[in-house]
Amino acid sequence: MDVITMSIFLFERDNEKSVIDNLRLLIQMSLKSIELLKDYMNSKDEKILKEIIKIEEEGDETTKNIRINLEKAFLPNMRRELSRSAELLDETLDSLKHAAMLYELLKEEFDEYLKNEIDLVLMITVDMFQHLDRVLDVIEKGGDLDPIIKEIKDKEKFIDDVYQNRIYKYLINLEVESFWEGKILCDFIDNIVNISDYIEDVADELHIIYLHTK
Amino acid sequence: MITIEISINLELIISFYLLFILGANNVANAIGTAYASRATTYRNLLILFSISVIIGSLFAKNVGSTVNSLSSDALTALIISALVMTLSTYKKVPISLHTVIICSLIGLNFNSSNLYVFGEILLSWILSPIIAVVIAYILYSAYEKIDISILKKITMIRYFLLISAAVVAFNLGSNDLPTVLGTFTTSQIIYIIGAIFLCLGAYLYGNRVSETLSMITNLSVSSAFIAQLSGGLAVTIFTALGMPVSTTQAIVGGILGVGLTKGIKTVRWKVLKNIIFWWVVAPIIALIIGFIINRMI
């Protein structure tokens, strides 16, 4: 038994490792993009916007690499979920890019209340990404996934709650200069809030993989 | 200098044809799951398949002798088998080659000593799927208790996929092959040449493996390989006892065993009843055909 266990430990599967590493890379890119978006909201510096766009393009390349590696990695009944996970993480980078580009079009800065609410949503989103990284840890090194998944779901529910009961209600009474100003503002907030949905979906997909091997 | 003389006759031609079909039909059973899971390359899997079949043929004597002891009119039995197998492949009715060959041999030569051996073989046919059920139940229950990371579990599954592919291929060489060739010979050299024909069928019609791919992607790979490995191990036990048994029937037992670990309600009894129906009906038909031909001759 010891010999078998040893050989399992020694047998390195580069393809699986590469898929996990690239998923981690997408998470790191999203975290970096969130930090840049926060900076951009304070400075509206063109360079920062370009950097966010560049990260999104790199994300496309990383997603493509995951799909290529998946041809040879993992078991057949896991590939769909992993490919979907990569796709969803790529969507988060798209959302962040679109949010930044929409922010560029906004003529007025956010008032204090709205700014604080968006900061709160982004802070919880960062936390959710860190939990997602822990999910990958469990896939790689073992452990219990259920409590991490539960935390991700709770946080997503909290963001939904902030959006529905605080941001949305505030927006209804907000006076805007034009239709487009209002639309851009709403689209910006949607892009920010949607990221937590994507993270929850990724967690669900990875949870299915976990259940496949049970 | 050693000279090996092989006289080419009709029995040899028909049996090599049967082995060729056997290889083409069974390569997917042996390596399909491992290929779909990318345990290794297709080329490596075919090499593993061929080596296992040829090694299996070196252990074919036991089963070959049992089949040979039943044989009186090998040519007629082989012609019946070739016709029935061609027809069943065309009509897509799942009939085991073992069943057809053994029952037509018995039907053609109906006597008390044959009936005793037939009784033993019949018992093996009943017991082999039951043993596979037990092995699969134990293996799957043990597998569920293994607490390692997903990546390590995948690596472990890949090792076992290769082992189970090798076991099924070994059984083809050590059990299926002598069931065909044992009808007229127990020669080791003929068994090895037969193994080469079996591998040839696998190489030339290996594209069938891709057909199983679509099925496997919807299956739990761990359940599939445990069912396959359990069926394979059950057949290996009966090979050691010299009994010709069907790998397909044993694998069905393996699937049932895995299903039972999830609870008796998860088993689709209607499907199982249909499978068992053919297991019972096919030997009776082959027996009757053999018996009628025997009377006519």
Side-chain angles (χ1 to χ4, degrees):
Chain A
M1 184 63 197
D2 276 338
V3 176
I4 295 168
T5 317
M6 278 293 285
S7 62
I8 288 166
F9 279 97
L10 292 171
F11 195 73
E12 186 76 24
R13 289 284 308 184
D14 288 339
N15 293 320
E16 273 95 27
K17 187 93 179 66
S18 163
V19 170
I20 296 287
D21 286 348
N22 278 324
L23 286 172
R24 276 193 208 285
L25 187 60
L26 286 174
I27 292 173
Q28 292 312 315
M29 284 175 172
S30 298
L31 288 170
K32 172 91 180 147
S33 209
I34 288 174
E35 284 311 308
L36 288 168
L37 179 68
K38 279 189 202 166
D39 291 345
Y40 184 66
M41 282 166 70
N42 290 327
S43 64
K44 273 212 172 178
D45 182 349
E46 190 78 7
K47 271 187 200 162
I48 298 175
L49 178 64
K50 277 184 183 161
E51 211 175 326
I52 293 172
I53 294 169
K54 196 175 156 232
I55 289 175
E56 192 273 331
E57 285 165 3
E58 285 169 5
D60 288 341
E61 193 61 31
T62 309
T63 308
K64 195 179 93 186
N65 286 339
I66 291 174
R67 288 212 185 101
I68 292 168
N69 277 317
L70 271 176
E71 281 291 309
K72 291 176 184 169
F74 288 90
L75 298 173
N77 56 347
M78 298 173 174
R79 288 180 196 138
R80 196 206 68 83
E81 284 79 12
L82 284 159
S83 179
R84 181 85 188 118
S85 299
E87 227 170 79
L88 287 162
L89 285 171
D90 192 36
E91 292 279 329
T92 66
L93 291 170
D94 280 351
S95 274
L96 286 161
K97 182 189 85 175
H98 287 134
M101 288 166 84
L102 287 164
Y103 193 80
E104 190 198 14
L105 300 174
L106 280 173
K107 285 174 189 155
E108 282 184 35
E109 288 213 352
F110 290 155
D111 61 37
E112 196 61 25
Y113 180 82
L114 208 50
K115 197 177 174 312
N116 285 341
E117 292 299 319
I118 286 165
D119 277 349
L120 178 67
V121 170
L122 286 175
M123 195 183 80
I124 299 164
T125 306
V126 167
D127 203 22
M128 285 176 79
F129 270 121
Q130 280 158 356
H131 277 81
L132 204 55
D133 204 53
R134 281 176 57 203
V135 171
L136 293 175
D137 272 345
V138 171
I139 290 177
E140 208 171 8
K141 295 169 191 152
D144 193 2
L145 202 60
D146 295 337
I148 309 171
I149 299 284
K150 193 183 170 296
E151 272 190 64
I152 290 176
K153 286 191 175 293
D154 287 346
K155 287 180 195 300
E156 197 279 331
K157 224 170 159 185
F158 183 74
I159 289 181
D160 261 3
D161 199 46
V162 170
Y163 178 63
Q164 294 289 341
N165 295 322
R166 285 151 62 172
I167 299 176
Y168 204 77
K169 279 180 185 166
Y170 181 79
L171 286 176
I172 291 168
N173 300 313
L174 191 73
E175 279 188 20
V176 284
E177 273 183 17
S178 67
F179 165 78
W180 288 109
E181 187 73 7
K183 170 145 176 62
I184 291 166
L185 177 63
C186 283
D187 287 351
F188 171 84
I189 292 168
D190 280 347
N191 273 295
I192 298 289
V193 172
N194 282 346
I195 297 170
S196 63
D197 289 329
Y198 294 138
I199 298 172
E200 190 194 22
D201 289 347
V202 175
D204 284 339
E205 297 288 345
L206 296 176
H207 198 202
I208 293 169
I209 291 169
Y210 178 76
L211 295 174
H212 273 318
T213 55
K214 279 276 151 191
Chain B
M1 193 178 134
I2 302 165
T3 317
I4 301 164
E5 274 188 33
I6 300 167
S7 57
I8 305 290
N9 54 30
L10 203 55
E11 287 161 348
L12 212 59
I13 293 167
I14 295 174
S15 56
F16 283 165
Y17 164 71
L18 275 171
L19 289 172
F20 187 85
I21 293 180
L22 198 72
N25 285 340
N26 286 282
V27 62
N29 287 347
I31 66 172
T33 320
Y35 178 62
S37 309
R38 301 287 189 274
T40 180
T41 61
Y42 184 62
R43 186 176 147 270
N44 287 349
L45 283 169
L46 274 181
I47 292 169
L48 177 75
F49 176 85
S50 307
I51 292 170
S52 306
V53 167
I54 290 167
I55 292 174
S57 73
L58 300 175
F59 294 88
K61 275 237 162 158
N62 263 355
V63 175
S65 302
T66 308
V67 177
N68 199 256
S69 71
L70 294 170
S71 192
S72 60
D73 189 357
L75 184 63
T76 315
L78 286 170
I79 290 171
I80 295 172
S81 306
L83 288 174
V84 172
M85 286 312 289
T86 308
L87 198 74
S88 71
T89 308
Y90 176 70
K91 287 277 178 192
K92 291 180 179 169
V93 177
I95 295 178
S96 153
L97 182 66
H98 286 87
T99 308
V100 180
I101 289 184
I102 301 295
C103 290
S104 48
L105 281 175
I106 300 290
L108 284 165
N109 190 14
F110 218 75
N111 61 46
S112 58
S113 68
N114 264 3
L115 283 178
Y116 177 74
V117 180
F118 183 54
E120 283 183 334
I121 294 173
L122 211 59
L123 192 67
S124 306
W125 287 350
I126 296 165
L127 286 179
S128 59
I130 294 172
I131 289 176
V133 170
V134 176
I135 296 174
Y137 190 90
I138 295 167
L139 280 183
Y140 200 79
S141 303
Y143 169 81
E144 283 190 312
K145 287 192 179 79
I146 297 171
D147 188 23
I148 52 174
S149 77
I150 293 172
L151 287 196
K152 278 173 189 148
K153 219 167 198 178
I154 290 168
T155 308
M156 188 190 77
I157 288 171
R158 285 214 168 89
Y159 274 118
F160 280 102
L161 280 169
L162 293 179
I163 293 169
S164 68
V167 169
V168 172
F170 175 86
N171 289 336
L172 275 173
S174 63
N175 202 303
D176 295 71
L177 179 133
T179 305
V180 177
L181 294 175
T183 53
F184 64 95
T185 183
T186 51
S187 155
Q188 185 61 66
I189 192 78
I190 300 276
Y191 286 176
I192 293 173
I193 296 170
I196 294 167
F197 269 88
L198 204 149
C199 295
L200 215 61
Y203 279 108
L204 295 178
Y205 288 91
N207 56 349
R208 282 181 61 118
V209 172
S210 59
E211 288 174 28
T212 49
L213 262 179
S214 57
M215 273 165 37
I216 289 161
T217 47
N218 296 322
L219 274 177
S220 157
V221 176
S222 41
S223 309
F225 93 80
I226 288 173
Q228 188 187 34
L229 185 62
S230 313
L233 289 174
V235 173
T236 308
I237 293 169
F238 284 92
T239 303
L241 297 170
M243 289 294 132
V245 292
S246 160
T247 303
T248 312
Q249 290 181 355
I251 288 176
V252 170
I255 294 168
L256 182 64
V258 171
L260 286 174
T261 59
K262 312 272 180 202
I264 204 151
K265 281 182 184 168
T266 59
V267 178
R268 291 162 74 184
W269 295 105
K270 207 176 167 187
V271 178
L272 193 67
K273 260 194 248 171
N274 187 40
I275 292 169
I276 292 172
F277 172 80
W278 280 106
W279 286 358
V280 176
V281 170
I284 294 170
I285 293 171
L287 260 175
I288 293 168
I289 294 172
F291 191 73
I292 291 168
I293 291 172
N294 182 31
R295 286 293 154 128
M296 279 161 63
I297 294 167

